[in-house]
Amino acid sequence: MTNQELANKFNILGKLLELHGENQFKIRSYTNAYLNIKKWHEPIIDLTVSELATIQGIGKAIQAKILELAETGEMQTLNRYLDKTPPGIVQMLSIKGFGPKKIKVLWEEMEIETLGELMIAINENRLVDVKGFGQKTQAALKEQLEYHLDSQGKLKGATALSLAQELLSALEKALPKVVVTSTGALARKCNVIDRIDLLTTADLAEFSTALTEIPGVDTADQVLNYKGLPVLIHKSRPEDLAYESVRTSSTPEFWAELNIKKAKYKNEAEVFIKNGHPYYIPEYREPENLPFLEDYTGENNIVTRQDIKGCIHNHSTYSDGMQTVSEMVDAAQNLDYEYFVITDHSKTAIYANGLSIDRLYQQLEEIRTIDQGIADCKLFSGIESDILADGSLDYPDEVLAELDVVVASIHSGLRMDEKKATKRLIRAIENPYTSILGHPTGRLLLSRPAYPINHSEVIAACAEYNVAIELNANPSRLDMDWRWINDAVSKGVYISINPDAHSIGGIEHNMHGVDSARKAGLPIAYCLNALGLDEFEEWLKEQHEKREE
């Protein structure tokens, strides 16, 4: 059981307790456990009692439930509350922005118990007179419910890739003499995936038999799936493997554009070269890239995980991170980063223990002291400064001037129309202290849709004011969306692939950001943190010079 899966159990338990009007102290303890567990840097389910006791927010009651899950796979307290709650109500608890208090009102006063009943009530305009709702709340809930329903049966790319790797490992053991590999959306490293595509040279009867013997594989309703995600098998003769690998990993539109002849090829590269094309990496084989084929720089010029030299946008225990500044930079050194930037939350982010000015200065002094004591990784100071409703940042200029890097991000007031959101972002971009625009659309994949922005105007503003755009590498965000990277590159804007790390483990999120950037063929030269330390310091010098203009 992963930390995220474990954390989710405490999250739903906390919501169920609130739904049933239980003790607020217990609710808070489960919510805190959820927040702390999901950010922890090693598998919590494997820890001993004494090791669990060292984790903040994991008291004896929580420890006992973790041990119960480790031993039995069940949590009886959670089961008890699930048993007395209709399944549809439990589903509602997973809708972003629709809390237990509002759900309780609809359940008790309107006897709504399923998502279908909820949608009917919304469409019939029956929530507007319910206490705590109204026209705006009903409209917002409809939007969230539609997004939730559309997200069903899909997984974030990182989760799906992990599941697919489990399945592939089991199949490789069961069928060691044949080829089994992932293809389709998995090969393209899509941000969201709705099925596992496998390409194999095995006999299909033999392959099906091997599949059914793997734990987690199900054939309910004659649909093959693995741990709830559908599985589609593509069969290839050994001599056609390279051809079929390219065909099945390309979208239909991209494949049609290539006009590739079916023949025997040694490998994927030969499939392209013998048909007059450069080798298009699997991630790139999307229809959105067709207008940019002439700009394709070749596989050797596209950013890879190994090209990332610096780690920007990281949190510590000063705000809502799990590890100290020293622990985070030590982890960065172990991963061979040349530089590391601490950007804790700013003062407006009270929910994330954002830094007051006094605490920011205290951290700044600590960062400078730590930096003097390390040789292999340069430590820079920074902040993730909230973009306020009017587009201003939430520290005075004289405070921002003390910092090496300022990541400007929106965290509140997300219900904006395109005009308002774009204006708000552009004003923040115009601020001479803004170095990087953080997660530009605020989306949470399969959980919260992006607020609408005019990407072209925002990118143009970043180009004009020398502001990099973040590709937030957290697999729940991957924001900015890769489809706008080509536009940014065409205007000379750097893309900064940032992990938004809240723990040591979170530093490794960078790899998901690289996968997403490769979907647009992001050139190494336009990736900010692919710059070496000397080049990055030159960029910082430019950033600081614009503060003085």
Side-chain angles (χ1 to χ4, degrees):
M1 185 180 298
T2 67
N3 285 354
Q4 186 64 60
E5 290 168 338
L6 179 61
N8 288 344
K9 290 187 180 294
F10 286 100
N11 187 35
I12 192 66
L13 178 57
K15 289 180 177 180
L16 285 167
L17 262 64
E18 186 175 355
L19 180 74
H20 290 281
E22 301 290 0
N23 182 281
Q24 284 296 317
F25 176 78
K26 284 187 176 181
I27 296 169
R28 215 163 27 245
S29 70
Y30 292 133
T31 301
N32 289 338
Y34 159 71
L35 294 172
N36 291 329
I37 289 170
K38 73 174 185 174
K39 293 186 288 187
W40 197 246
H41 59 286
E42 57 183 326
I44 284 183
I45 201 73
D46 298 331
L47 300 182
T48 63
V49 175
S50 59
E51 290 170 330
L52 288 171
T54 65
I55 303 175
Q56 181 183 4
I58 306 297
K60 291 184 178 179
I62 304 295
Q63 292 170 27
K65 289 176 172 57
I66 292 173
L67 293 172
E68 180 188 1
L69 281 164
E71 292 173 6
T72 69
E74 300 283 340
M75 189 197 299
Q76 291 307 314
T77 303
L78 176 58
N79 291 344
R80 191 163 63 250
Y81 280 95
L82 288 172
D83 287 343
K84 62 180 181 179
T85 310
I89 295 295
V90 176
Q91 286 181 297
M92 289 179 203
L93 290 170
S94 64
I95 300 175
K96 197 78 175 177
F98 190 32
K101 291 180 181 177
K102 280 188 165 57
I103 294 171
K104 184 179 177 70
V105 169
L106 298 184
W107 183 19
E108 293 181 347
E109 295 186 13
M110 300 187 69
E111 298 183 352
I112 291 174
E113 293 189 355
T114 69
L115 295 180
E117 290 172 342
L118 177 59
M119 183 59 84
I120 290 171
I122 291 172
N123 289 336
E124 293 180 354
N125 206 34
R126 289 194 280 121
L127 303 190
V128 292
D129 296 324
V130 178
K131 184 180 178 181
F133 284 83
Q135 196 71 51
K136 286 186 177 180
T137 302
Q138 178 178 266
L141 178 56
K142 181 178 182 180
E143 182 180 331
Q144 281 298 127
L145 179 56
E146 288 173 343
Y147 186 79
H148 175 82
L149 292 171
D150 184 57
S151 299
Q152 298 306 292
K154 300 176 183 178
L155 289 177
K156 286 174 281 190
T159 305
L161 284 167
S162 178
L163 273 184
Q165 192 52 57
E166 285 180 10
L167 182 56
L168 281 170
S169 296
L171 284 167
E172 286 166 1
K173 289 179 182 178
L175 300 166
K177 295 181 180 180
V178 299
V179 174
V180 184
T181 187
S182 59
T183 189
L186 283 167
R188 296 196 304 279
K189 304 288 176 60
C190 290
N191 296 167
V192 172
I193 289 172
D194 59 7
R195 75 183 187 205
I196 295 173
D197 285 82
L198 298 178
L199 176 64
T200 183
T201 57
D203 174 78
L204 285 182
E206 180 186 14
F207 193 79
S208 298
T209 300
L211 267 174
T212 56
E213 294 176 356
I214 295 172
V217 171
D218 188 15
T219 55
D221 299 322
Q222 296 184 332
V223 176
L224 180 65
N225 69 75
Y226 179 65
K227 295 187 176 180
L229 201 60
V231 178
L232 182 62
I233 303 165
H234 302 266
K235 176 71 170 70
S236 173
R237 297 184 306 173
E239 60 269 28
D240 295 332
L241 187 61
Y243 173 87
E244 291 296 337
S245 181
V246 173
R247 185 184 68 81
T248 59
S249 63
S250 301
T251 59
E253 301 91 337
F254 195 88
W255 175 252
E257 184 72 18
L258 299 178
N259 194 27
I260 287 175
K261 298 175 182 177
K262 188 169 184 178
K264 185 177 180 180
Y265 302 99
K266 293 178 183 178
N267 50 45
E268 280 200 355
E270 194 174 88
V271 174
F272 289 103
I273 293 166
K274 286 198 170 183
N275 287 277
H277 302 290
Y279 172 64
Y280 295 117
I281 60 173
E283 298 94 325
Y284 193 78
R285 301 166 192 173
E286 299 278 4
E288 290 89 346
N289 287 324
L290 292 176
F292 304 103
L293 293 185
E294 291 185 3
D295 300 322
Y296 186 75
T297 58
E299 59 173 318
N300 294 328
N301 296 312
I302 297 173
V303 69
T304 68
R305 296 177 183 183
Q306 291 71 36
D307 293 315
I308 303 301
K309 303 291 195 301
C311 191
I312 305 170
H313 191 167
N314 303 281
H315 298 264
S316 73
T317 50
Y318 269 91
S319 63
D320 60 345
M322 296 295 293
Q323 272 80 46
T324 65
V325 173
S326 290
E327 289 168 335
M328 291 293 281
V329 75
D330 284 348
Q333 286 187 97
N334 292 335
L335 293 169
D336 295 325
Y337 281 113
E338 294 181 18
Y339 50 95
F340 191 78
V341 187
I342 288 288
T343 53
D344 274 303
H345 284 288
S346 60
K347 63 179 184 177
T348 302
I350 298 171
Y351 63 91
N353 192 29
L355 277 66
S356 65
I357 293 175
D358 288 344
R359 291 179 61 232
L360 178 57
Y361 281 133
Q362 178 189 343
Q363 185 192 60
L364 183 56
E365 184 177 342
E366 180 178 329
I367 285 172
R368 288 168 176 166
T369 301
I370 293 171
D371 182 51
Q372 291 173 0
I374 54 178
D376 299 328
C377 183
K378 176 70 176 175
L379 179 61
F380 291 101
S381 64
I383 197 73
E384 184 180 15
S385 184
D386 267 37
I387 300 173
L388 304 180
D390 64 355
S392 60
L393 304 186
D394 64 343
Y395 287 121
D397 289 354
E398 60 268 22
V399 175
L400 295 174
E402 295 288 333
L403 303 168
D404 295 314
V405 177
V406 175
V407 178
S409 307
I410 291 176
H411 291 105
S412 60
L414 306 181
R415 293 179 182 174
M416 302 171 284
D417 59 29
E418 182 179 307
K419 184 177 179 180
K420 182 177 180 181
T422 302
K423 183 179 178 181
R424 184 177 175 184
L425 288 175
I426 289 177
R427 185 175 176 200
I429 293 164
E430 292 170 345
N431 189 312
Y433 292 92
T434 298
S435 317
I436 300 170
L437 177 62
H439 45 73
T441 71
R443 74 179 185 185
L444 294 174
L445 294 170
L446 303 180
S447 180
R448 182 176 71 205
Y451 45 76
I453 67 173
N454 186 315
H455 281 83
S456 294
E457 289 184 11
V458 169
I459 291 168
C462 286
E464 181 177 355
Y465 293 96
N466 191 15
V467 171
I469 300 178
E470 175 178 81
L471 194 170
N472 189 295
N474 185 310
S476 294
R477 289 189 184 272
L478 297 176
D479 181 17
M480 68 182 306
D481 188 273
W482 64 268
R483 294 166 182 84
W484 289 98
I485 287 177
N486 278 298
D487 192 11
V489 168
S490 72
K491 292 179 173 64
V493 176
Y494 273 123
I495 303 298
S496 187
I497 300 175
N498 299 340
D500 197 357
H502 286 71
S503 67
I504 289 171
I507 294 172
E508 297 187 3
H509 284 159
N510 263 344
M511 64 182 182
H512 304 302
V514 171
D515 290 345
S516 195
R518 283 172 62 80
K519 293 185 67 57
L522 175 64
I524 300 168
Y526 285 92
C527 179
L528 178 65
N529 48 326
L531 297 178
L533 175 58
D534 290 344
E535 295 172 298
F536 183 69
E537 288 187 314
E538 281 297 314
W539 179 79
L540 284 180
K541 184 179 177 182
E542 292 178 11
Q543 291 297 307
H544 293 185
E545 285 173 351
K546 77 180 185 181
R547 299 175 181 180
E548 300 167 5
E549 293 176 358

